[in-house]
């Protein structure tokens, strides 16, 4: 017996099924306006629908009460708002909330809402897994599975925005979740454009940080196309031998090339760069490491963000002792390096990249 393939309910009838993103209302090119016109509706209703989604935080087309009544079920039939489901939702005492989202193909990603004074920052993922292989990071332990679509990236923002009370708005975005954002720029940049758009979330570009392992050609592309983002470069070591051990992609790139690309981005953007440095006890936290870092950053108007290591189950790395941490920071401070030690937030809910996904996968594997 043969079965007809399931009808592509997500694809508007007037668009070829192969058209990227057709049917996911959050894809910038979803065919909504064409669809409306084909339904005999004015194209401007597309704007009204997006206002409901982004400003009105509507959860379903049925909630869009100023749309013609018979249009709502037709939208429901042909477009999807949500392609993900919430597999888990955790809250920490400090106000941090973390969502584990299940994608349409069963893959899982994480995104986090952080509350800090007036700031409402979201940390979003750009890929399922990661190909960079940083040895201390949970996200890359199983390699990269796929890029997220633009719609899936936007969906994280909308899901997190809906955790806020009606009188609060998202203020900042950091692309520091799972994945290497500069390996998925084609899908990330349109999503961030929607985040900035006045009819989207209206978050200024200056409040959006992209964190990268340091891929020079992609940094140059960002500088050429979109230099307004705040760029954070994950350094983690000041020389090639140690960096290649911790960040394997460094082997083919090298610290000098990463810094040169970062400098070019800074020249184009005029925005101060951030370098990230995860402190691993007994690995990259010696006085010698700190002195090398001082030499490397000399003459650069950069901020060094020292990140406390968030232990990952099964990995051998440890946080440094408080003495070696203070010693390390003192060398940098004495040399006038601009250092910021990142506070750990949401540690009790495993709010570090890839950790929750792995826990959930482990629990599923054990249950099977
Ligand atoms: N691929 C991007 C985004 C990764 S996540 C990048 O490499 O920058 C953002 C930061 O968290 C990176 O600096 C990453 O190295 C760091 N990180 C990864 N795992 C960590 C852990 N277990 N504890 C602390 N920081 C971690």
């Amino acid at each position: 017996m043969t079965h007809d393939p399931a009808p592509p309910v997500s694809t508007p009838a007037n668009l070829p099924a192969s058209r990227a993103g057709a049917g996911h209302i959050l894809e910038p090119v979803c065919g909504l306006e064409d669809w409306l016109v084909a339904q005999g509706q004015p194209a401007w209703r597309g704007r009204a629908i997006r206002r409901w989604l982004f400003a009105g935080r509507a959860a379903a087309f049925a909630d869009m009460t100023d749309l013609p009544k018979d249009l709502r079920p037709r939208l429901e039939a042909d477009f999807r708002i949500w392609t993900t489901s919430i597999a888990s939702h955790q809250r920490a005492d400090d106000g941090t909330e973390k969502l584990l989202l299940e994608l349409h193909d069963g893959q899982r990603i994480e995104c986090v809402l952080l509350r800090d004074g007036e700031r409402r920052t979201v940390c979003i993922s750009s890929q399922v897994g990661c190909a960079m292989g940083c040895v201390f990071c949970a996200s890359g332990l199983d390699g990269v599975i796929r890029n997220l679509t633009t719609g899936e990236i936007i969906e994280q923002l909308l899901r997190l925005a809906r955790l806020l009370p009606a009188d609060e708005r998202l203020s900042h975005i950091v692309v520091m979740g799972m994945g290497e954002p500069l390996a998925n720029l084609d899908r990330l940049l349109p999503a961030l454009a929607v985040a900035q758009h006045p009819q989207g979330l209206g978050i200024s570009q200056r409040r959006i940080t992209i964190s990268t392992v340091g891929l020079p050609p992609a940094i140059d592309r960002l500088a050429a196309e979109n230099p307004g983002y705040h760029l954070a470069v994950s350094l983690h070591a000041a020389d090639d031998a140690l960096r290649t051990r911790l960040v394997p992609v460094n082997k083919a790139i090298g610290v000098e090339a990463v810094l040169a690309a970062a400098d070019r981005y800074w020249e184009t953007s005029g925005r101060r760069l951030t370098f990230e440095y995860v402190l691993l006890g007994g690995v990259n936290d010696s006085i010698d490491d700190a002195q090398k870092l001082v030499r490397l950053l000399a003459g650069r108007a950069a901020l060094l963000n020292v990140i406390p290591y968030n232990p990952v189950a099964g990995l051998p790395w440890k946080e440094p002792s408080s003495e070696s941490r203070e010693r390390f920071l003192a060398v940098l401070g004495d040399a006038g390096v601009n250092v910021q030690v990142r506070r750990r937030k949401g540690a009790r809910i495993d709010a570090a990249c890839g950790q929750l996904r792995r826990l959930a996968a482990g629990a599923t594997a054990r249950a099977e």
Side-chain angles (χ1 to χ4, degrees), residues 6-7 15 26 62 76 106 170 216 258 328-329:
L15 288 174
L26 300 180
E76 204 80 57
L170 299 182
V258 171
F328 184 87
L329 293 173

Side-chain angles (χ1 to χ4, degrees), residues 92 94-96 114-117 310 343-349 351-352:
D94 62 8
T96 304
L114 298 135
R115 294 176 159 92
D116 191 5
N310 222 323
R343 275 179 297 149
R344 177 176 297 166
K345 292 196 133 245
R348 285 187 37 225
I349 57 169

Side-chain angles (χ1 to χ4, degrees), residues 279-291 293-294 306 320-335 339 341:
L279 266 191
L280 303 167
V283 177
N284 65 354
D285 63 341
S286 70
I287 291 180
D288 186 43
D289 293 320
Q291 287 167 341
L293 200 51
V294 166
V306 173
S321 65
S322 52
E323 300 84 71
S324 55
R325 195 180 78 122
E326 292 314 315
R327 217 177 43 204
F328 184 87
L329 293 173
V331 173
L332 295 161
D334 290 348
V339 185
V341 181

Side-chain angles (χ1 to χ4, degrees), residues 43-60:
W44 55 257
R45 286 209 195 282
R47 198 170 162 156
I49 292 167
R50 291 195 174 91
R51 192 179 321 118
W52 272 111
L53 287 170
F54 290 98
R57 298 188 194 167

Side-chain angles (χ1 to χ4, degrees), residues 136-137 176 179-180 211-213 234 236 276 278 308-310 312 353:
F136 51 83
C137 175
M176 289 189 185
E180 168 50 44
S211 176
T212 176
V213 73
S234 296
H236 307 323
E276 293 162 286
V278 175
Y309 181 58
N310 222 323
V312 176
C353 11

Side-chain angles (χ1 to χ4, degrees), residues 166-179:
D167 59 344
E168 291 184 9
R169 289 162 49 93
L170 299 182
S171 63
H172 294 74
I173 299 175
V174 295
V175 191
M176 289 189 185
M178 290 169 62

Side-chain angles (χ1 to χ4, degrees), residues 14-15 19 25 27-50 79 199:
N14 61 335
L15 288 174
R19 183 154 163 188
I25 198 95
E27 287 288 338
V29 186
C30 66
L32 177 62
E33 272 75 9
D34 290 348
W35 181 92
L36 284 165
V37 171
Q39 301 284 319
Q41 293 287 328
W44 55 257
R45 286 209 195 282
R47 198 170 162 156
I49 292 167
R50 291 195 174 91
F79 289 94
Q199 287 168 46

